[in-house]
Amino acid sequence: MARAAGVSHQTVSRVINGKPHVRPETRALVLATIEELGFTPNRAAQALAGGPVRAVTVLTAVTAAHGYAAALRGIEEAARTARFTVGISVLEPDAADSPQDVIERLSAGRAAIVIAFEAAGARALDALPPDFPVVGLVERPATGQVPNGRPQVWIDDREAASRATRHLLGLGHQTVHFLSIPSSTQVLSQRTQGWQDALVAAGREVPARHAGGWTPRSGYLAARELVADRGVTAILAGNDDLAIGVLRAAREAGRDVPGDLSVIGFDDAPQSAYLNPALTSVRMDFEGLGRASFGLLHNLLDPNAAPPPATWDEPELILRESSGPAPR
């Protein structure tokens, strides 16, 4: 490589590792030679040789749900741009969570991003030592502040849930029922808290919360009793998969959506716009959140060379056919 570019091995190393003190024309020449030769740096070998970390392991308990999958895409996209490799380690719900158990899951690079939207991820994040290069994707902290100073990113789903609930109340519904997804803590999730905030602020009844899971089937099973009650006119689901289950249960119960039952989902998964009826949902920028998490980690690993971390879009309520005025 150095011979083909007509430069020293040290210069090639500085370019590959993103180091300063290389003239722009020399850097361009080396990069062009790399592309021409199809050269792929061995990141593991670089790390073992004491070079900069160029690998990151993502720890997550869920990979198929839309928010998790979108965050993974964002992480991978940002890492690829920065010439990092990405590995994924799936956490089992009952996995051991001592520091050593978690560290053993990581690649040679020893840097991690933990998707901690639920309990297994939150335990893994807490288990890593405070000085470890790790960034967490988390539920919005109850206080709105970063706990323990560990780098973390989140979307304000508490305010997003509150906004969706206020929208339904504004359509004339007397109250809103809620199907929740699992939380990262033993207390109420921030989406549940936001739903309650809006109802309490409006002086409305706060119905019993119905616990769902992640899947359409869990939403369907949780919603059957709800939709059988004609007094229930509005349901907010913790994610779009739960909302899909609600739509199925409503159809079986002879409920018209949105004629006598409004349904709103969360996350705005790609299929939500193509359901019948199309699903009103809260759009969450999980890909942007994933890119931002990698940017923070890159900055931890190489503060002199890493670009500023990316930002992500605020939640947005996307109005479609599944929500409408309360029945008269």
Side-chain angles (χ1 to χ4, degrees):
M1 173 64 66
R3 183 181 302 171
V7 298
S8 69
H9 293 288
Q10 292 84 352
T11 298
V12 172
S13 176
R14 284 197 293 270
V15 172
I16 290 175
N17 294 315
K19 294 297 185 181
H21 311 305
V22 179
R23 289 183 299 176
E25 59 272 21
T26 303
R27 187 182 302 275
L29 172 63
V30 172
L31 292 174
T33 305
I34 287 173
E35 184 174 355
E36 180 181 348
L37 297 179
F39 173 72
T40 301
N42 188 324
R43 306 302 181 193
Q46 288 177 327
L48 291 172
V53 173
R54 285 301 203 186
V56 56
T57 302
V58 181
L59 303 178
T60 179
V62 182
T63 57
H66 170 66
Y68 290 79
L72 285 169
R73 283 196 301 273
I75 293 168
E76 196 281 330
E77 175 188 302
R80 180 163 26 91
T81 300
R83 297 181 178 272
F84 276 63
T85 59
V86 178
I88 299 174
S89 180
V90 178
L91 301 165
E92 300 79 16
D94 57 351
D97 52 12
S98 72
Q100 187 59 35
D101 291 327
V102 178
I103 289 173
E104 286 178 354
R105 290 177 171 270
L106 307 182
S107 64
R110 299 295 191 183
I113 294 173
V114 183
I115 303 181
F117 296 145
E118 43 58 64
R123 289 196 306 270
L125 181 61
D126 290 341
L128 289 168
D131 59 347
F132 199 86
V134 59
V135 172
L137 278 73
V138 300
E139 280 192 286
R140 174 191 183 272
T143 62
Q145 298 179 349
V146 176
N148 305 323
R150 189 189 292 278
Q152 298 180 3
V153 292
W154 65 82
I155 298 176
D156 193 350
D157 43 5
R158 179 170 181 169
E159 172 55 28
S162 183
R163 189 182 311 158
T165 304
R166 292 195 301 268
H167 174 73
L168 289 167
L169 296 178
L171 291 173
H173 298 276
Q174 291 304 300
T175 191
V176 178
H177 291 73
F178 185 65
L179 266 63
S180 64
I181 55 175
S183 172
S184 61
T185 66
Q186 298 302 314
V187 297
L188 298 181
S189 72
Q190 289 300 295
R191 295 184 185 187
T192 304
Q193 197 68 61
W195 160 72
Q196 287 189 351
D197 291 346
L199 292 178
V200 170
R204 304 297 177 86
E205 172 197 356
V206 180
R209 174 178 60 97
H210 290 255
W214 297 107
T215 65
R217 175 172 172 77
S218 62
Y220 167 76
L221 294 175
R224 286 189 300 180
E225 180 182 352
L226 266 179
V227 298
D229 181 355
R230 295 280 169 168
V232 174
T233 66
I235 296 175
L236 175 62
N239 71 7
D240 284 358
D241 283 339
L242 290 181
I244 290 171
V246 174
L247 294 178
R248 177 64 187 182
R251 176 172 293 185
E252 290 184 0
R255 302 292 302 274
D256 178 63
V257 179
D260 63 4
L261 175 67
S262 286
V263 180
I264 293 182
F266 234 101
D267 299 342
D268 194 32
Q271 68 270 23
S272 298
Y274 303 97
L275 300 173
N276 186 19
L279 183 64
T280 294
S281 185
V282 180
R283 178 171 294 166
M284 306 283 277
D285 185 14
F286 286 108
E287 286 195 32
L289 197 69
R291 288 190 292 269
S293 69
F294 175 80
L296 276 177
L297 183 67
H298 194 185
N299 193 259
L300 282 176
L301 297 172
D302 196 354
N304 294 323
T311 58
W312 57 94
D313 294 336
E314 292 299 315
E316 180 183 2
L317 182 61
I318 306 299
L319 300 179
R320 298 193 181 100
E321 299 165 350
S322 69
S323 59
R328 299 178 64 179

